[in-house]
Amino acid sequence: EAQVTQNPRYLITVTGKKLTVTCSQNMNHEYMSWYRQDPGLGLRQIYYSMNVEVTDKGDVPEGYKVSRKEKRNFPLILESPSPNQTSLYFCASRASSYNEQFFGPGTRLTVL
Amino acid sequence: QQQVKQSPQSLIVQKGGISIINCAYENTAFDYFPWYQQFPGKGPALLIAIRPDVSEKKEGRFTISFNKSAKQFSLHIMDSQPGDSATYFCAATLNTGGFKTIFGAGTRLFVKA
């Protein structure tokens, strides 16, 4: 089944404790992206990647890191999480420009 | 700031009625305008999308109307059904030189049976 998977689905952590949210897609897609969803703000793009080792900032990259060492994986790293990073995070992938973007199931992160 | 403004925030429609959601964008470099549907606890899923060289696109009960000069586009859901109750997001994507996507704030649609 074609899908985007994220782990963990739920995470509660404390300020300053480094964490990684994994994202993997099995569709051989070139493009991958991370978004955060907050009430009243819609989805905001954090980082995106157009291919292996090619990444760029979205609208809200501060406090996040990404890497794309393999085509299928695009982990999101929070080096020192803060409470304002409490949010619902989505990973997404698509084959190329003008193609459908497929979203993962989401990761709900709470930073205390 | 590259914004996409979406209205209304929420919408209640009778079963069989027409639901209309509007979006406006600022950056004329956007070249792809998708609409997503999201159910509670799920990720957004593509509903329908349009490119700016087309003024209208219809897929089943869903239609996008696009006005390039006004920098506005809208989603029309004909014969709205209770199963259409969800949150809808418009978006605008820059495909040249990157993959930047800006989403609207979302519209919560409730279709009354």
Side-chain angles (χ1 to χ4, degrees), chain B residues 4-66:
Chain B
V4 175
K5 295 183 180 178
Q6 183 172 345
S7 62
Q9 277 187 305
S10 60
L11 183 60
I12 300 174
V13 174
Q14 286 290 136
K15 179 182 176 181
I18 302 173
S19 304
I20 302 174
I21 304 171
N22 301 299
C23 283
Y25 63 98
E26 299 173 350
N27 188 342
T28 55
F30 287 132
D31 57 358
Y32 181 68
F33 299 88
W35 284 90
Y36 291 89
Q37 180 187 57
Q38 185 180 33
F39 293 105
K42 303 289 186 184
L46 180 69
L47 193 60
I48 186 172
I50 197 167
R51 293 182 63 175
D53 52 349
V54 176
S55 62
E56 185 175 281
K57 184 175 181 180
K58 183 176 181 179
E59 290 183 1
R61 297 186 293 111
F62 302 93
T63 300
I64 300 178
S65 297
F66 189 86

Coordinates of all heavy atoms in Angstrom, one line a residue, chain B residues 4-66:
Chain B
V4 N -2.2 33.3 2.1 CA -3.4 32.9 1.4 C -4.5 33.1 2.4 O -4.5 32.4 3.5 CB -3.3 31.4 1.0 CG1 -4.6 30.9 0.4 CG2 -2.1 31.2 0.0
K5 N -5.4 33.9 2.1 CA -6.5 34.2 3.0 C -7.7 33.4 2.6 O -8.2 33.5 1.5 CB -6.8 35.7 3.0 CG -5.6 36.6 3.5 CD -6.0 38.0 3.6 CE -4.8 38.8 4.1 NZ -5.0 40.3 4.1
Q6 N -8.3 32.7 3.6 CA -9.4 31.8 3.4 C -10.6 32.2 4.2 O -10.5 32.6 5.4 CB -9.0 30.4 3.8 CG -10.0 29.3 3.5 CD -9.5 27.9 3.7 OE1 -8.3 27.7 3.8 NE2 -10.4 27.0 3.8
S7 N -11.8 32.2 3.6 CA -13.0 32.5 4.3 C -14.2 31.7 3.7 O -14.1 31.2 2.6 CB -13.3 34.0 4.1 OG -13.5 34.3 2.7
P8 N -15.2 31.4 4.6 CA -15.3 31.7 6.0 C -14.5 30.7 6.8 O -14.0 29.7 6.4 CB -16.8 31.6 6.2 CG -17.2 30.5 5.3 CD -16.4 30.6 4.1
Q9 N -14.4 31.0 8.1 CA -13.8 30.1 9.1 C -14.6 28.9 9.3 O -14.1 27.8 9.5 CB -13.6 30.8 10.4 CG -12.4 31.7 10.5 CD -12.2 32.2 11.9 OE1 -13.1 32.8 12.5 NE2 -11.0 31.9 12.5
S10 N -15.9 29.1 9.3 CA -16.8 27.9 9.5 C -18.1 28.2 8.6 O -18.4 29.3 8.3 CB -17.2 27.7 10.9 OG -17.9 28.9 11.4
L11 N -18.7 27.0 8.3 CA -19.8 27.1 7.4 C -20.8 26.0 7.7 O -20.4 24.8 7.9 CB -19.3 26.9 5.9 CG -20.2 27.0 4.7 CD1 -20.9 28.3 4.7 CD2 -19.4 26.8 3.5
I12 N -22.1 26.3 7.8 CA -23.1 25.3 8.0 C -24.1 25.4 6.8 O -24.6 26.4 6.4 CB -23.9 25.6 9.3 CG1 -23.0 25.6 10.5 CG2 -25.0 24.6 9.5 CD1 -23.7 26.0 11.8
V13 N -24.3 24.2 6.2 CA -25.1 24.1 5.0 C -26.1 23.0 5.1 O -25.8 21.9 5.8 CB -24.1 23.8 3.8 CG1 -24.9 23.6 2.5 CG2 -23.2 25.0 3.6
Q14 N -27.3 23.2 4.6 CA -28.3 22.1 4.6 C -27.9 21.0 3.6 O -27.3 21.3 2.5 CB -29.6 22.6 4.2 CG -30.3 23.4 5.3 CD -30.7 22.6 6.5 OE1 -30.6 22.9 7.6 NE2 -31.4 21.4 6.2
K15 N -28.2 19.8 3.9 CA -28.0 18.7 2.9 C -28.6 19.1 1.6 O -29.8 19.5 1.5 CB -28.6 17.4 3.5 CG -28.5 16.2 2.5 CD -29.2 15.0 3.1 CE -29.1 13.8 2.2 NZ -29.8 12.6 2.7
G16 N -27.9 18.8 0.5 CA -28.4 19.2 -0.8 C -28.0 20.6 -1.3 O -28.2 20.9 -2.5
G17 N -27.5 21.4 -0.4 CA -27.2 22.8 -0.7 C -25.8 22.9 -1.3 O -25.1 21.9 -1.5
I18 N -25.4 24.1 -1.6 CA -24.1 24.4 -2.2 C -23.2 25.0 -1.1 O -23.6 26.0 -0.5 CB -24.2 25.4 -3.4 CG1 -25.2 24.8 -4.4 CG2 -22.8 25.6 -4.0 CD1 -25.4 25.8 -5.6
S19 N -22.0 24.5 -1.0 CA -21.0 25.0 0.0 C -20.0 25.8 -0.9 O -19.5 25.3 -1.9 CB -20.3 23.9 0.7 OG -21.3 23.1 1.4
I20 N -19.7 27.0 -0.4 CA -18.7 27.8 -1.2 C -17.7 28.3 -0.2 O -18.0 28.9 0.8 CB -19.4 29.0 -1.8 CG1 -20.5 28.5 -2.8 CG2 -18.4 29.9 -2.6 CD1 -21.3 29.7 -3.4
I21 N -16.4 28.1 -0.5 CA -15.3 28.5 0.3 C -14.4 29.3 -0.6 O -14.1 28.9 -1.7 CB -14.5 27.3 0.9 CG1 -15.5 26.4 1.7 CG2 -13.4 27.8 1.8 CD1 -14.9 25.1 2.1
N22 N -13.9 30.5 -0.1 CA -13.1 31.4 -0.9 C -11.7 31.6 -0.4 O -11.5 31.5 0.8 CB -13.8 32.8 -0.9 CG -15.2 32.7 -1.5 OD1 -15.4 32.4 -2.7 ND2 -16.2 33.0 -0.7
C23 N -10.8 31.8 -1.4 CA -9.4 32.0 -1.0 C -8.8 33.1 -1.9 O -9.2 33.3 -3.0 CB -8.6 30.8 -1.1 SG -8.8 29.6 0.2
A24 N -7.9 33.9 -1.3 CA -7.2 35.0 -2.0 C -5.8 34.9 -1.8 O -5.4 34.6 -0.6 CB -7.8 36.3 -1.6
Y25 N -5.0 35.1 -2.8 CA -3.5 35.0 -2.6 C -2.9 36.3 -3.1 O -3.5 37.2 -3.7 CB -2.9 33.8 -3.4 CG -3.1 33.9 -4.9 CD1 -2.1 34.3 -5.7 CD2 -4.3 33.5 -5.5 CE1 -2.3 34.4 -7.1 CE2 -4.5 33.6 -6.8 CZ -3.5 34.0 -7.7 OH -3.7 34.1 -9.0
E26 N -1.6 36.5 -2.7 CA -0.9 37.7 -3.1 C 0.2 37.6 -4.1 O 0.3 38.4 -5.0 CB -0.3 38.3 -1.8 CG -1.3 38.6 -0.7 CD -0.6 39.0 0.6 OE1 0.6 38.8 0.7 OE2 -1.3 39.4 1.5
N27 N 0.9 36.5 -4.1 CA 2.1 36.3 -4.9 C 1.7 35.7 -6.3 O 1.2 34.6 -6.4 CB 3.1 35.4 -4.2 CG 4.4 35.3 -4.9 OD1 4.5 35.7 -6.1 ND2 5.4 34.8 -4.2
T28 N 1.9 36.5 -7.3 CA 1.4 36.0 -8.7 C 2.4 34.9 -9.2 O 2.1 34.3 -10.2 CB 1.4 37.2 -9.6 OG1 2.7 37.8 -9.6 CG2 0.4 38.2 -9.3
A29 N 3.4 34.6 -8.5 CA 4.3 33.5 -8.9 C 3.8 32.1 -8.6 O 4.2 31.1 -9.1 CB 5.7 33.7 -8.3
F30 N 2.8 32.1 -7.7 CA 2.1 30.8 -7.4 C 1.6 30.1 -8.7 O 1.0 30.8 -9.5 CB 1.0 30.9 -6.4 CG 1.4 31.2 -5.0 CD1 0.8 32.3 -4.3 CD2 2.4 30.5 -4.3 CE1 1.2 32.6 -3.0 CE2 2.8 30.8 -3.0 CZ 2.2 31.8 -2.3
D31 N 1.8 28.8 -8.8 CA 1.4 28.2 -10.1 C 0.7 26.9 -9.9 O 0.5 26.1 -10.9 CB 2.6 28.0 -11.0 CG 3.7 27.2 -10.3 OD1 3.5 26.8 -9.2 OD2 4.7 26.9 -11.0
Y32 N 0.2 26.7 -8.7 CA -0.6 25.4 -8.5 C -1.4 25.7 -7.3 O -0.9 26.1 -6.2 CB 0.4 24.3 -8.3 CG -0.3 22.9 -8.1 CD1 -1.0 22.3 -9.1 CD2 -0.1 22.2 -6.9 CE1 -1.5 21.0 -8.9 CE2 -0.7 21.0 -6.7 CZ -1.4 20.4 -7.7 OH -1.9 19.1 -7.5
F33 N -2.8 25.4 -7.4 CA -3.7 25.7 -6.3 C -4.5 24.5 -6.0 O -5.6 24.3 -6.6 CB -4.6 26.9 -6.8 CG -3.8 28.1 -7.1 CD1 -3.3 28.4 -8.4 CD2 -3.6 29.1 -6.1 CE1 -2.5 29.5 -8.7 CE2 -2.8 30.2 -6.4 CZ -2.3 30.4 -7.7
P34 N -4.1 23.8 -5.0 CA -4.9 22.6 -4.5 C -5.9 22.9 -3.4 O -5.7 23.9 -2.6 CB -3.8 21.6 -4.1 CG -2.7 22.5 -3.6 CD -2.8 23.8 -4.3
W35 N -6.9 22.1 -3.3 CA -7.8 22.1 -2.1 C -7.6 20.7 -1.4 O -7.6 19.7 -2.1 CB -9.2 22.3 -2.6 CG -9.6 23.7 -2.9 CD1 -9.5 24.3 -4.2 CD2 -10.1 24.7 -2.1 NE1 -9.9 25.6 -4.1 CE2 -10.2 25.9 -2.8 CE3 -10.4 24.8 -0.7 CZ2 -10.7 27.1 -2.3 CZ3 -10.9 25.9 -0.2 CH2 -11.0 27.1 -1.0
Y36 N -7.6 20.8 -0.1 CA -7.4 19.6 0.7 C -8.6 19.4 1.6 O -9.2 20.4 2.1 CB -6.2 19.6 1.5 CG -4.9 19.5 0.7 CD1 -4.3 20.6 0.2 CD2 -4.3 18.3 0.4 CE1 -3.1 20.5 -0.5 CE2 -3.2 18.1 -0.3 CZ -2.6 19.3 -0.8 OH -1.4 19.2 -1.5
Q37 N -9.0 18.2 1.9 CA -10.1 17.9 2.8 C -9.4 17.1 4.0 O -8.6 16.2 3.8 CB -11.1 17.0 2.1 CG -12.3 16.5 2.9 CD -13.1 15.5 2.1 OE1 -12.6 14.5 1.7 NE2 -14.4 15.9 1.9
Q38 N -9.8 17.5 5.2 CA -9.2 16.8 6.4 C -10.3 16.4 7.3 O -11.1 17.3 7.8 CB -8.2 17.7 7.1 CG -7.5 17.0 8.2 CD -6.5 18.0 8.9 OE1 -6.7 19.2 9.0 NE2 -5.5 17.4 9.5
F39 N -10.4 15.1 7.7 CA -11.3 14.6 8.7 C -10.5 14.6 10.0 O -9.3 14.4 10.0 CB -11.8 13.3 8.3 CG -12.7 13.3 7.1 CD1 -12.3 12.9 5.8 CD2 -14.0 13.8 7.2 CE1 -13.1 12.9 4.7 CE2 -14.8 13.9 6.1 CZ -14.4 13.4 4.8
P40 N -11.3 14.6 11.1 CA -10.6 14.6 12.4 C -9.7 13.4 12.6 O -10.1 12.3 12.3 CB -11.8 14.6 13.4 CG -12.9 15.2 12.7 CD -12.7 14.8 11.2
G41 N -8.5 13.7 13.1 CA -7.6 12.6 13.4 C -6.8 12.1 12.2 O -6.1 11.1 12.2
K42 N -7.0 12.7 11.0 CA -6.4 12.3 9.8 C -5.6 13.4 9.2 O -5.7 14.6 9.5 CB -7.5 11.9 8.7 CG -8.4 10.8 9.2 CD -7.7 9.4 9.3 CE -8.7 8.4 9.6 NZ -8.0 7.0 9.8
G43 N -4.7 13.0 8.3 CA -3.9 14.0 7.5 C -4.8 14.5 6.4 O -5.8 13.9 6.0
P44 N -4.4 15.7 5.9 CA -5.2 16.3 4.7 C -5.1 15.4 3.5 O -4.0 14.7 3.4 CB -4.5 17.6 4.5 CG -3.8 17.9 5.8 CD -3.4 16.6 6.3
A45 N -6.1 15.4 2.7 CA -6.1 14.6 1.5 C -6.5 15.5 0.3 O -7.4 16.3 0.4 CB -7.0 13.4 1.6
L46 N -5.8 15.4 -0.8 CA -6.1 16.2 -2.0 C -7.5 15.9 -2.5 O -7.9 14.8 -2.7 CB -5.1 16.0 -3.1 CG -5.3 16.8 -4.3 CD1 -5.0 18.2 -4.1 CD2 -4.4 16.3 -5.5
L47 N -8.2 17.0 -2.7 CA -9.6 17.0 -3.2 C -9.6 17.3 -4.7 O -10.1 16.5 -5.5 CB -10.5 18.0 -2.4 CG -12.0 17.9 -2.5 CD1 -12.5 16.5 -2.0 CD2 -12.6 19.0 -1.7
I48 N -9.1 18.4 -5.0 CA -9.1 18.9 -6.4 C -8.0 20.0 -6.5 O -7.7 20.6 -5.5 CB -10.5 19.4 -6.8 CG1 -10.5 19.7 -8.3 CG2 -10.9 20.5 -5.9 CD1 -12.0 20.1 -8.8
A49 N -7.4 20.2 -7.7 CA -6.4 21.2 -7.8 C -6.5 21.8 -9.2 O -7.1 21.2 -10.2 CB -5.0 20.6 -7.7
I50 N -6.0 23.1 -9.3 CA -6.1 23.8 -10.6 C -4.8 24.5 -10.8 O -4.1 24.9 -9.9 CB -7.3 24.8 -10.6 CG1 -7.7 25.2 -12.0 CG2 -7.0 26.0 -9.7 CD1 -9.0 25.9 -12.0
R51 N -4.5 24.8 -12.1 CA -3.3 25.6 -12.5 C -3.9 26.9 -13.0 O -5.0 27.0 -13.5 CB -2.4 24.9 -13.5 CG -1.8 23.7 -12.9 CD -0.8 23.0 -13.8 NE 0.3 23.8 -14.2 CZ 1.3 23.4 -15.0 NH1 1.3 22.2 -15.4 NH2 2.2 24.2 -15.3
P52 N -3.1 28.0 -12.9 CA -3.7 29.3 -13.3 C -4.0 29.6 -14.7 O -4.6 30.6 -15.0 CB -2.6 30.3 -12.8 CG -1.3 29.5 -12.7 CD -1.7 28.1 -12.4
D53 N -3.7 28.6 -15.6 CA -4.1 28.8 -17.0 C -5.5 28.4 -17.3 O -5.9 28.4 -18.4 CB -3.0 28.2 -17.9 CG -2.8 26.7 -17.6 OD1 -3.3 26.3 -16.5 OD2 -2.2 26.0 -18.4
V54 N -6.2 27.9 -16.3 CA -7.5 27.4 -16.4 C -8.4 28.2 -15.5 O -8.1 28.5 -14.3 CB -7.6 25.9 -16.0 CG1 -9.0 25.3 -16.1 CG2 -6.7 25.1 -17.0
S55 N -9.6 28.5 -15.9 CA -10.5 29.3 -15.1 C -11.5 28.4 -14.2 O -12.1 28.9 -13.2 CB -11.4 30.3 -15.9 OG -12.2 29.5 -16.8
E56 N -11.7 27.2 -14.6 CA -12.6 26.3 -13.8 C -12.2 24.9 -14.0 O -11.8 24.5 -15.1 CB -14.0 26.6 -14.3 CG -15.1 25.8 -13.5 CD -16.5 26.1 -13.9 OE1 -17.0 27.2 -13.5 OE2 -17.1 25.3 -14.6
K57 N -12.4 24.1 -13.0 CA -12.1 22.7 -13.0 C -13.2 22.0 -12.2 O -13.4 22.4 -11.1 CB -10.7 22.3 -12.5 CG -10.4 20.8 -12.7 CD -9.0 20.6 -12.3 CE -8.6 19.1 -12.5 NZ -7.2 18.8 -12.1
K58 N -13.8 21.0 -12.8 CA -14.9 20.2 -12.1 C -14.5 18.8 -12.0 O -14.1 18.2 -13.0 CB -16.2 20.4 -12.9 CG -17.4 19.8 -12.2 CD -18.6 20.1 -13.0 CE -19.9 19.5 -12.4 NZ -21.1 19.8 -13.1
E59 N -14.7 18.2 -10.8 CA -14.6 16.8 -10.6 C -15.7 16.3 -9.7 O -15.8 16.6 -8.5 CB -13.2 16.5 -9.9 CG -12.0 16.7 -10.8 CD -10.7 16.3 -10.2 OE1 -10.7 15.8 -9.0 OE2 -9.7 16.5 -10.8
G60 N -16.7 15.7 -10.4 CA -17.9 15.2 -9.6 C -18.6 16.4 -9.1 O -19.0 17.3 -9.8
R61 N -18.9 16.4 -7.8 CA -19.6 17.5 -7.1 C -18.7 18.7 -6.7 O -19.2 19.7 -6.2 CB -20.3 17.0 -5.9 CG -21.3 15.9 -6.1 CD -22.1 15.5 -4.8 NE -21.2 14.8 -3.9 CZ -20.8 15.3 -2.7 NH1 -21.2 16.6 -2.4 NH2 -20.1 14.6 -1.9
F62 N -17.4 18.6 -7.0 CA -16.5 19.6 -6.6 C -16.0 20.4 -7.8 O -15.6 19.9 -8.8 CB -15.3 19.0 -5.8 CG -15.7 18.2 -4.6 CD1 -15.9 16.8 -4.8 CD2 -15.9 18.8 -3.4 CE1 -16.3 16.1 -3.6 CE2 -16.2 18.0 -2.3 CZ -16.5 16.7 -2.4
T63 N -16.1 21.7 -7.6 CA -15.6 22.6 -8.7 C -14.7 23.7 -8.1 O -15.0 24.3 -7.1 CB -16.8 23.3 -9.4 OG1 -17.7 22.3 -9.9 CG2 -16.3 24.3 -10.5
I64 N -13.6 24.0 -8.8 CA -12.7 25.1 -8.5 C -13.0 26.2 -9.5 O -12.9 25.9 -10.7 CB -11.3 24.8 -8.5 CG1 -10.9 23.7 -7.5 CG2 -10.4 26.1 -8.2 CD1 -9.4 23.4 -7.5
S65 N -13.3 27.4 -9.0 CA -13.3 28.6 -9.9 C -12.1 29.4 -9.6 O -11.8 29.7 -8.5 CB -14.6 29.4 -9.7 OG -15.7 28.6 -10.0
F66 N -11.4 29.8 -10.7 CA -10.2 30.6 -10.6 C -10.2 31.9 -11.3 O -10.5 31.9 -12.5 CB -9.0 29.7 -11.1 CG -7.7 30.2 -10.8 CD1 -7.1 29.9 -9.5 CD2 -7.0 31.0 -11.7 CE1 -5.8 30.4 -9.2 CE2 -5.7 31.6 -11.3 CZ -5.1 31.2 -10.1

